[in-house]
Amino acid sequence: AQSVTQLDSHVSVSEGTPVLLRCNYSSSYSPSLFWYVQHPNKGLQLLLKYTSAATLVKGINGFEAEFKKSETSFHLTKPSAHMSDAAEYFCVVRSLAGNNRKLIWGLGTSLAVNP
Amino acid sequence: SQTIHQWPATLVQPVGSPLSLECTVEGTSNPNLYWYRQAAGRGLQLLFYSVGIGQISSEVPQNLSASRPQDRQFILSSKKLLLSDSGFYLCAWSGGVGYTFGSGTRLTVV
């Protein structure tokens, strides 16, 4: 069975400093992994996705994530945080159980960016 | 291009009243459709998914139901709302690897 764990519920960084949001997954086969962002009272937006192609995935707004099979990790990074990056971030693994393509969600990491 | 519409954006309903949230998708056919709920301080919980008209699968027992009367329409309903139904409800569709989410409905049951 697949699962995903976001290791930090809250992360606080200063504007202009690097961002690291950690995610570990569990899967018995090669997974599809995603990062979504949710700004306050808004819907969810896909940041990036890994689907067994290049292990370093580049997404929108300067974010990227690296799939590391040996560490079962898919951490999200950004070299320099911007105030507009303050939001909730979700790491997600896609389940292939049956034929319904269900997503399994982490509990989220709240990112605060301080001026 | 594909778009997904979800309404209303916010809703305040008394306990015991009915509920109907609608979601429609444009620009695609035969999408997989999903209803998720996000409770305060928690992750997303899959409530229902549908792979076709009239085909609904429920993930968790609850006070809600879903229907898919048309290929690109997905409706979330309740006959009598409970306080515990409050939350942020998101509709989503997928036609391949990725998912696209609606803008969500903030439901407050009072």
Side-chain angles (χ1 to χ4, degrees):
Chain A
Q2 297 96 323
S3 66
V4 61
T5 302
Q6 291 183 243
L7 301 170
D8 308 291
S9 58
H10 299 281
V11 170
S12 181
V13 301
S14 298
E15 189 175 19
T17 64
V19 176
L20 170 64
L21 305 182
R22 298 183 294 166
C23 173
N24 285 110
Y25 69 91
S26 172
S27 179
S28 56
Y29 50 84
S30 184
S32 294
L33 293 159
F34 309 80
W35 275 98
Y36 280 85
V37 60
Q38 184 180 31
H39 288 90
N41 292 314
K42 297 270 183 81
L44 287 150
Q45 182 181 25
L46 179 65
L47 276 179
L48 48 81
K49 61 185 178 185
Y50 166 77
T51 56
S52 75
T55 56
L56 181 62
V57 182
K58 293 188 183 297
I60 63 172
N61 302 335
F63 284 94
E64 61 183 37
E66 186 172 7
F67 174 72
K68 292 186 176 180
K69 187 175 181 179
S70 61
E71 300 176 9
T72 61
S73 69
F74 190 56
H75 301 335
L76 182 70
T77 60
K78 183 173 180 177
S80 177
H82 191 272
M83 296 296 290
S84 61
D85 294 328
E88 189 86 12
Y89 291 81
F90 294 94
C91 182
V92 185
V93 63
R94 185 175 70 137
S95 166
L96 291 179
N99 189 32
N100 55 58
R101 300 174 184 164
K102 292 189 290 185
L103 297 180
I104 298 169
W105 293 73
L107 293 180
T109 298
S110 177
L111 174 65
V113 181
N114 306 310
Chain B
S1 63
Q2 302 90 350
T3 56
I4 180 168
H5 302 280
Q6 186 180 342
W7 66 93
T10 59
L11 191 60
V12 180
Q13 291 284 100
V15 169
S17 64
L19 172 74
S20 180
L21 302 181
E22 189 161 344
C23 172
T24 59
V25 180
E26 296 178 358
T28 185
S29 59
N30 197 31
N32 290 342
L33 296 173
Y34 307 83
W35 277 110
Y36 283 87
R37 176 170 57 202
Q38 184 179 34
R42 300 179 64 181
L44 269 73
Q45 180 185 37
L46 179 63
L47 302 176
F48 301 96
Y49 68 90
S50 171
V51 297
I53 295 174
Q55 301 179 61
I56 309 295
S57 295
S58 175
E59 285 296 294
V60 294
Q62 58 201 304
N63 184 43
L64 302 167
S65 62
S67 62
R68 186 169 176 176
Q70 300 179 44
D71 181 46
R72 288 169 281 180
Q73 184 184 30
F74 204 25
I75 298 172
L76 183 69
S77 305
S78 173
K79 292 182 179 178
K80 289 185 178 180
L81 283 169
L82 306 172
L83 286 175
S84 58
D85 292 325
S86 293
F88 192 54
Y89 289 84
L90 287 156
C91 179
W93 78 274
S94 71
V97 175
Y99 287 67
T100 301
F101 285 83
S103 55
T105 296
R106 172 75 57 192
L107 172 65
T108 304
V109 183
V110 296

mmCIF file of all heavy atoms in Angstrom, chain A residues 33-68:
data_model
loop_
_atom_site.group_PDB
_atom_site.id
_atom_site.type_symbol
_atom_site.label_atom_id
_atom_site.label_comp_id
_atom_site.label_asym_id
_atom_site.label_seq_id
_atom_site.Cartn_x
_atom_site.Cartn_y
_atom_site.Cartn_z
ATOM 1 N N LEU A 33 4.451 10.888 -8.263
ATOM 2 C CA LEU A 33 4.461 11.787 -7.111
ATOM 3 C C LEU A 33 4.183 13.217 -7.555
ATOM 4 O O LEU A 33 4.594 13.629 -8.644
ATOM 5 C CB LEU A 33 5.816 11.728 -6.398
ATOM 6 C CG LEU A 33 6.143 10.394 -5.727
ATOM 7 C CD1 LEU A 33 7.638 10.246 -5.508
ATOM 8 C CD2 LEU A 33 5.406 10.272 -4.405
ATOM 9 N N PHE A 34 3.523 13.949 -6.695
ATOM 10 C CA PHE A 34 3.127 15.309 -7.024
ATOM 11 C C PHE A 34 3.362 16.224 -5.815
ATOM 12 O O PHE A 34 3.364 15.770 -4.667
ATOM 13 C CB PHE A 34 1.619 15.378 -7.353
ATOM 14 C CG PHE A 34 1.146 14.390 -8.370
ATOM 15 C CD1 PHE A 34 0.902 13.076 -8.013
ATOM 16 C CD2 PHE A 34 0.918 14.775 -9.671
ATOM 17 C CE1 PHE A 34 0.450 12.145 -8.945
ATOM 18 C CE2 PHE A 34 0.461 13.863 -10.616
ATOM 19 C CZ PHE A 34 0.226 12.555 -10.250
ATOM 20 N N TRP A 35 3.532 17.506 -6.117
ATOM 21 C CA TRP A 35 3.429 18.543 -5.101
ATOM 22 C C TRP A 35 2.344 19.520 -5.544
ATOM 23 O O TRP A 35 2.349 19.997 -6.696
ATOM 24 C CB TRP A 35 4.742 19.299 -4.921
ATOM 25 C CG TRP A 35 5.712 18.641 -3.978
ATOM 26 C CD1 TRP A 35 6.772 17.844 -4.299
ATOM 27 C CD2 TRP A 35 5.717 18.743 -2.552
ATOM 28 N NE1 TRP A 35 7.429 17.445 -3.160
ATOM 29 C CE2 TRP A 35 6.811 17.983 -2.077
ATOM 30 C CE3 TRP A 35 4.913 19.406 -1.615
ATOM 31 C CZ2 TRP A 35 7.112 17.868 -0.717
ATOM 32 C CZ3 TRP A 35 5.218 19.291 -0.271
ATOM 33 C CH2 TRP A 35 6.309 18.526 0.168
ATOM 34 N N TYR A 36 1.425 19.809 -4.594
ATOM 35 C CA TYR A 36 0.378 20.792 -4.835
ATOM 36 C C TYR A 36 0.541 21.934 -3.839
ATOM 37 O O TYR A 36 0.996 21.739 -2.709
ATOM 38 C CB TYR A 36 -1.007 20.181 -4.653
ATOM 39 C CG TYR A 36 -1.500 19.372 -5.818
ATOM 40 C CD1 TYR A 36 -1.159 18.024 -5.952
ATOM 41 C CD2 TYR A 36 -2.314 19.935 -6.800
ATOM 42 C CE1 TYR A 36 -1.618 17.280 -7.021
ATOM 43 C CE2 TYR A 36 -2.782 19.192 -7.872
ATOM 44 C CZ TYR A 36 -2.426 17.861 -7.980
ATOM 45 O OH TYR A 36 -2.880 17.126 -9.035
ATOM 46 N N VAL A 37 0.095 23.126 -4.250
ATOM 47 C CA VAL A 37 0.119 24.278 -3.359
ATOM 48 C C VAL A 37 -1.311 24.798 -3.217
ATOM 49 O O VAL A 37 -2.092 24.772 -4.159
ATOM 50 C CB VAL A 37 1.056 25.392 -3.884
ATOM 51 C CG1 VAL A 37 0.606 25.901 -5.254
ATOM 52 C CG2 VAL A 37 1.125 26.550 -2.908
ATOM 53 N N GLN A 38 -1.625 25.240 -2.005
ATOM 54 C CA GLN A 38 -2.946 25.801 -1.741
ATOM 55 C C GLN A 38 -2.770 27.108 -0.995
ATOM 56 O O GLN A 38 -2.309 27.116 0.149
ATOM 57 C CB GLN A 38 -3.791 24.834 -0.926
ATOM 58 C CG GLN A 38 -5.215 25.312 -0.701
ATOM 59 C CD GLN A 38 -6.019 24.321 0.108
ATOM 60 O OE1 GLN A 38 -5.490 23.616 0.957
ATOM 61 N NE2 GLN A 38 -7.319 24.257 -0.156
ATOM 62 N N HIS A 39 -3.149 28.194 -1.650
ATOM 63 C CA HIS A 39 -3.123 29.486 -0.969
ATOM 64 C C HIS A 39 -4.403 29.638 -0.149
ATOM 65 O O HIS A 39 -5.410 28.982 -0.432
ATOM 66 C CB HIS A 39 -2.957 30.602 -1.990
ATOM 67 C CG HIS A 39 -1.585 30.650 -2.577
ATOM 68 N ND1 HIS A 39 -1.218 29.966 -3.706
ATOM 69 C CD2 HIS A 39 -0.456 31.276 -2.161
ATOM 70 C CE1 HIS A 39 0.060 30.158 -3.970
ATOM 71 N NE2 HIS A 39 0.548 30.955 -3.047
ATOM 72 N N PRO A 40 -4.395 30.488 0.865
ATOM 73 C CA PRO A 40 -5.521 30.579 1.797
ATOM 74 C C PRO A 40 -6.861 30.682 1.091
ATOM 75 O O PRO A 40 -7.052 31.528 0.217
ATOM 76 C CB PRO A 40 -5.191 31.834 2.604
ATOM 77 C CG PRO A 40 -3.704 31.911 2.574
ATOM 78 C CD PRO A 40 -3.306 31.401 1.224
ATOM 79 N N ASN A 41 -7.760 29.805 1.478
ATOM 80 C CA ASN A 41 -9.142 29.787 0.953
ATOM 81 C C ASN A 41 -9.192 29.681 -0.567
ATOM 82 O O ASN A 41 -10.121 30.172 -1.198
ATOM 83 C CB ASN A 41 -9.899 31.032 1.409
ATOM 84 C CG ASN A 41 -10.135 31.017 2.900
ATOM 85 O OD1 ASN A 41 -10.553 30.004 3.464
ATOM 86 N ND2 ASN A 41 -9.833 32.110 3.568
ATOM 87 N N LYS A 42 -8.223 29.040 -1.126
ATOM 88 C CA LYS A 42 -8.202 28.841 -2.576
ATOM 89 C C LYS A 42 -8.168 27.348 -2.872
ATOM 90 O O LYS A 42 -7.960 26.524 -1.985
ATOM 91 C CB LYS A 42 -6.961 29.513 -3.172
ATOM 92 C CG LYS A 42 -6.911 31.026 -3.006
ATOM 93 C CD LYS A 42 -7.554 31.728 -4.155
ATOM 94 C CE LYS A 42 -7.457 33.238 -4.040
ATOM 95 N NZ LYS A 42 -6.151 33.733 -4.472
ATOM 96 N N GLY A 43 -8.348 27.029 -4.150
ATOM 97 C CA GLY A 43 -8.230 25.644 -4.566
ATOM 98 C C GLY A 43 -6.778 25.205 -4.628
ATOM 99 O O GLY A 43 -5.883 25.914 -4.187
ATOM 100 N N LEU A 44 -6.568 24.046 -5.186
ATOM 101 C CA LEU A 44 -5.232 23.462 -5.242
ATOM 102 C C LEU A 44 -4.623 23.640 -6.626
ATOM 103 O O LEU A 44 -5.300 23.469 -7.630
ATOM 104 C CB LEU A 44 -5.308 21.974 -4.914
ATOM 105 C CG LEU A 44 -5.564 21.698 -3.439
ATOM 106 C CD1 LEU A 44 -6.316 20.414 -3.260
ATOM 107 C CD2 LEU A 44 -4.250 21.642 -2.686
ATOM 108 N N GLN A 45 -3.343 23.929 -6.635
ATOM 109 C CA GLN A 45 -2.638 24.122 -7.890
ATOM 110 C C GLN A 45 -1.463 23.161 -7.956
ATOM 111 O O GLN A 45 -0.697 23.043 -7.005
ATOM 112 C CB GLN A 45 -2.144 25.572 -8.003
ATOM 113 C CG GLN A 45 -1.431 25.886 -9.304
ATOM 114 C CD GLN A 45 -0.936 27.313 -9.356
ATOM 115 O OE1 GLN A 45 -0.697 27.946 -8.337
ATOM 116 N NE2 GLN A 45 -0.781 27.839 -10.557
ATOM 117 N N LEU A 46 -1.318 22.499 -9.087
ATOM 118 C CA LEU A 46 -0.205 21.570 -9.253
ATOM 119 C C LEU A 46 1.098 22.341 -9.433
ATOM 120 O O LEU A 46 1.214 23.195 -10.315
ATOM 121 C CB LEU A 46 -0.455 20.678 -10.471
ATOM 122 C CG LEU A 46 0.639 19.668 -10.804
ATOM 123 C CD1 LEU A 46 0.765 18.630 -9.690
ATOM 124 C CD2 LEU A 46 0.352 18.992 -12.140
ATOM 125 N N LEU A 47 2.093 22.036 -8.588
ATOM 126 C CA LEU A 47 3.417 22.647 -8.706
ATOM 127 C C LEU A 47 4.294 21.859 -9.667
ATOM 128 O O LEU A 47 4.957 22.442 -10.521
ATOM 129 C CB LEU A 47 4.099 22.677 -7.336
ATOM 130 C CG LEU A 47 3.786 23.815 -6.387
ATOM 131 C CD1 LEU A 47 4.559 23.607 -5.088
ATOM 132 C CD2 LEU A 47 4.124 25.152 -7.000
ATOM 133 N N LEU A 48 4.317 20.546 -9.458
ATOM 134 C CA LEU A 48 5.151 19.695 -10.293
ATOM 135 C C LEU A 48 4.753 18.238 -10.095
ATOM 136 O O LEU A 48 4.030 17.919 -9.146
ATOM 137 C CB LEU A 48 6.641 19.885 -9.964
ATOM 138 C CG LEU A 48 7.064 19.855 -8.500
ATOM 139 C CD1 LEU A 48 7.203 18.434 -7.992
ATOM 140 C CD2 LEU A 48 8.384 20.612 -8.308
ATOM 141 N N LYS A 49 5.237 17.389 -11.001
ATOM 142 C CA LYS A 49 4.921 15.969 -10.887
ATOM 143 C C LYS A 49 6.092 15.122 -11.379
ATOM 144 O O LYS A 49 6.834 15.536 -12.272
ATOM 145 C CB LYS A 49 3.661 15.632 -11.685
ATOM 146 C CG LYS A 49 3.772 15.902 -13.172
ATOM 147 C CD LYS A 49 2.437 15.659 -13.865
ATOM 148 C CE LYS A 49 2.527 15.985 -15.357
ATOM 149 N NZ LYS A 49 1.210 15.871 -16.040
ATOM 150 N N TYR A 50 6.243 13.977 -10.773
ATOM 151 C CA TYR A 50 7.243 12.997 -11.179
ATOM 152 C C TYR A 50 6.515 11.750 -11.664
ATOM 153 O O TYR A 50 5.676 11.197 -10.953
ATOM 154 C CB TYR A 50 8.161 12.635 -10.010
ATOM 155 C CG TYR A 50 8.980 11.398 -10.298
ATOM 156 C CD1 TYR A 50 10.095 11.464 -11.134
ATOM 157 C CD2 TYR A 50 8.614 10.156 -9.772
ATOM 158 C CE1 TYR A 50 10.820 10.317 -11.421
ATOM 159 C CE2 TYR A 50 9.341 9.017 -10.057
ATOM 160 C CZ TYR A 50 10.442 9.102 -10.885
ATOM 161 O OH TYR A 50 11.149 7.973 -11.184
ATOM 162 N N THR A 51 6.875 11.311 -12.890
ATOM 163 C CA THR A 51 6.203 10.134 -13.441
ATOM 164 C C THR A 51 7.195 9.202 -14.089
ATOM 165 O O THR A 51 6.981 8.704 -15.188
ATOM 166 C CB THR A 51 5.136 10.556 -14.465
ATOM 167 O OG1 THR A 51 5.775 11.356 -15.473
ATOM 168 C CG2 THR A 51 4.034 11.348 -13.829
ATOM 169 N N SER A 52 8.312 8.957 -13.426
ATOM 170 C CA SER A 52 9.346 8.002 -13.841
ATOM 171 C C SER A 52 10.198 8.475 -14.999
ATOM 172 O O SER A 52 10.832 7.675 -15.662
ATOM 173 C CB SER A 52 8.750 6.623 -14.162
ATOM 174 O OG SER A 52 8.078 6.648 -15.402
ATOM 175 N N ALA A 53 10.220 9.754 -15.246
ATOM 176 C CA ALA A 53 11.140 10.306 -16.244
ATOM 177 C C ALA A 53 12.366 10.838 -15.483
ATOM 178 O O ALA A 53 12.936 10.138 -14.670
ATOM 179 C CB ALA A 53 10.457 11.379 -17.064
ATOM 180 N N ALA A 54 12.756 12.064 -15.714
ATOM 181 C CA ALA A 54 13.903 12.641 -15.032
ATOM 182 C C ALA A 54 13.641 12.719 -13.534
ATOM 183 O O ALA A 54 12.544 13.062 -13.096
ATOM 184 C CB ALA A 54 14.191 14.035 -15.575
ATOM 185 N N THR A 55 14.656 12.396 -12.744
ATOM 186 C CA THR A 55 14.461 12.383 -11.288
ATOM 187 C C THR A 55 14.416 13.788 -10.693
ATOM 188 O O THR A 55 13.853 13.975 -9.613
ATOM 189 C CB THR A 55 15.570 11.582 -10.597
ATOM 190 O OG1 THR A 55 16.839 12.132 -10.981
ATOM 191 C CG2 THR A 55 15.514 10.122 -11.012
ATOM 192 N N LEU A 56 15.000 14.766 -11.359
ATOM 193 C CA LEU A 56 14.908 16.154 -10.913
ATOM 194 C C LEU A 56 13.803 16.818 -11.720
ATOM 195 O O LEU A 56 13.911 16.952 -12.929
ATOM 196 C CB LEU A 56 16.236 16.883 -11.092
ATOM 197 C CG LEU A 56 16.240 18.341 -10.619
ATOM 198 C CD1 LEU A 56 15.959 18.411 -9.123
ATOM 199 C CD2 LEU A 56 17.575 18.999 -10.958
ATOM 200 N N VAL A 57 12.769 17.206 -11.015
ATOM 201 C CA VAL A 57 11.590 17.747 -11.674
ATOM 202 C C VAL A 57 11.498 19.244 -11.389
ATOM 203 O O VAL A 57 11.558 19.659 -10.234
ATOM 204 C CB VAL A 57 10.303 17.057 -11.173
ATOM 205 C CG1 VAL A 57 9.093 17.600 -11.904
ATOM 206 C CG2 VAL A 57 10.408 15.547 -11.336
ATOM 207 N N LYS A 58 11.334 20.012 -12.425
ATOM 208 C CA LYS A 58 11.173 21.459 -12.257
ATOM 209 C C LYS A 58 9.697 21.806 -12.405
ATOM 210 O O LYS A 58 9.007 21.295 -13.297
ATOM 211 C CB LYS A 58 12.006 22.196 -13.303
ATOM 212 C CG LYS A 58 13.503 22.010 -13.104
ATOM 213 C CD LYS A 58 14.304 22.896 -14.036
ATOM 214 C CE LYS A 58 15.805 22.640 -13.857
ATOM 215 N NZ LYS A 58 16.256 22.981 -12.492
ATOM 216 N N GLY A 59 9.244 22.686 -11.516
ATOM 217 C CA GLY A 59 7.847 23.070 -11.530
ATOM 218 C C GLY A 59 7.675 24.558 -11.751
ATOM 219 O O GLY A 59 8.591 25.255 -12.188
ATOM 220 N N ILE A 60 6.502 25.030 -11.404
ATOM 221 C CA ILE A 60 6.205 26.443 -11.575
ATOM 222 C C ILE A 60 6.768 27.259 -10.416
ATOM 223 O O ILE A 60 7.101 26.701 -9.366
ATOM 224 C CB ILE A 60 4.687 26.682 -11.693
ATOM 225 C CG1 ILE A 60 3.975 26.256 -10.409
ATOM 226 C CG2 ILE A 60 4.127 25.950 -12.902
ATOM 227 C CD1 ILE A 60 2.513 26.631 -10.378
ATOM 228 N N ASN A 61 6.878 28.557 -10.622
ATOM 229 C CA ASN A 61 7.290 29.502 -9.576
ATOM 230 C C ASN A 61 8.664 29.192 -8.985
ATOM 231 O O ASN A 61 8.932 29.553 -7.835
ATOM 232 C CB ASN A 61 6.256 29.544 -8.441
ATOM 233 C CG ASN A 61 4.868 29.943 -8.931
ATOM 234 O OD1 ASN A 61 4.741 30.611 -9.966
ATOM 235 N ND2 ASN A 61 3.854 29.544 -8.215
ATOM 236 N N GLY A 62 9.528 28.558 -9.748
ATOM 237 C CA GLY A 62 10.896 28.313 -9.300
ATOM 238 C C GLY A 62 11.077 27.118 -8.392
ATOM 239 O O GLY A 62 12.176 26.876 -7.883
ATOM 240 N N PHE A 63 10.039 26.344 -8.161
ATOM 241 C CA PHE A 63 10.145 25.163 -7.318
ATOM 242 C C PHE A 63 10.676 23.967 -8.110
ATOM 243 O O PHE A 63 10.457 23.867 -9.306
ATOM 244 C CB PHE A 63 8.781 24.795 -6.726
ATOM 245 C CG PHE A 63 8.353 25.682 -5.596
ATOM 246 C CD1 PHE A 63 7.549 26.788 -5.827
ATOM 247 C CD2 PHE A 63 8.756 25.407 -4.298
ATOM 248 C CE1 PHE A 63 7.163 27.621 -4.790
ATOM 249 C CE2 PHE A 63 8.373 26.224 -3.246
ATOM 250 C CZ PHE A 63 7.569 27.333 -3.497
ATOM 251 N N GLU A 64 11.348 23.088 -7.412
ATOM 252 C CA GLU A 64 11.755 21.825 -8.006
ATOM 253 C C GLU A 64 11.790 20.752 -6.928
ATOM 254 O O GLU A 64 11.798 21.057 -5.729
ATOM 255 C CB GLU A 64 13.102 21.932 -8.718
ATOM 256 C CG GLU A 64 14.259 22.322 -7.847
ATOM 257 C CD GLU A 64 15.548 22.462 -8.669
ATOM 258 O OE1 GLU A 64 15.486 22.942 -9.828
ATOM 259 O OE2 GLU A 64 16.603 22.088 -8.147
ATOM 260 N N ALA A 65 11.777 19.506 -7.366
ATOM 261 C CA ALA A 65 11.812 18.387 -6.430
ATOM 262 C C ALA A 65 12.641 17.274 -7.044
ATOM 263 O O ALA A 65 12.670 17.102 -8.256
ATOM 264 C CB ALA A 65 10.405 17.893 -6.117
ATOM 265 N N GLU A 66 13.321 16.537 -6.183
ATOM 266 C CA GLU A 66 14.157 15.439 -6.656
ATOM 267 C C GLU A 66 13.643 14.121 -6.119
ATOM 268 O O GLU A 66 13.477 13.957 -4.896
ATOM 269 C CB GLU A 66 15.613 15.634 -6.246
ATOM 270 C CG GLU A 66 16.543 14.577 -6.837
ATOM 271 C CD GLU A 66 18.007 14.884 -6.600
ATOM 272 O OE1 GLU A 66 18.307 15.837 -5.863
ATOM 273 O OE2 GLU A 66 18.850 14.148 -7.159
ATOM 274 N N PHE A 67 13.392 13.192 -7.017
ATOM 275 C CA PHE A 67 12.964 11.848 -6.639
ATOM 276 C C PHE A 67 14.206 11.029 -6.300
ATOM 277 O O PHE A 67 15.081 10.850 -7.149
ATOM 278 C CB PHE A 67 12.198 11.204 -7.792
ATOM 279 C CG PHE A 67 11.835 9.761 -7.565
ATOM 280 C CD1 PHE A 67 10.860 9.415 -6.657
ATOM 281 C CD2 PHE A 67 12.478 8.750 -8.274
ATOM 282 C CE1 PHE A 67 10.521 8.084 -6.445
ATOM 283 C CE2 PHE A 67 12.150 7.418 -8.071
ATOM 284 C CZ PHE A 67 11.169 7.093 -7.150
ATOM 285 N N LYS A 68 14.266 10.550 -5.063
ATOM 286 C CA LYS A 68 15.388 9.724 -4.627
ATOM 287 C C LYS A 68 14.840 8.382 -4.153
ATOM 288 O O LYS A 68 14.338 8.252 -3.030
ATOM 289 C CB LYS A 68 16.168 10.416 -3.504
ATOM 290 C CG LYS A 68 16.910 11.654 -3.953
ATOM 291 C CD LYS A 68 17.791 12.205 -2.830
ATOM 292 C CE LYS A 68 18.599 13.393 -3.311
ATOM 293 N NZ LYS A 68 19.464 13.944 -2.238
#
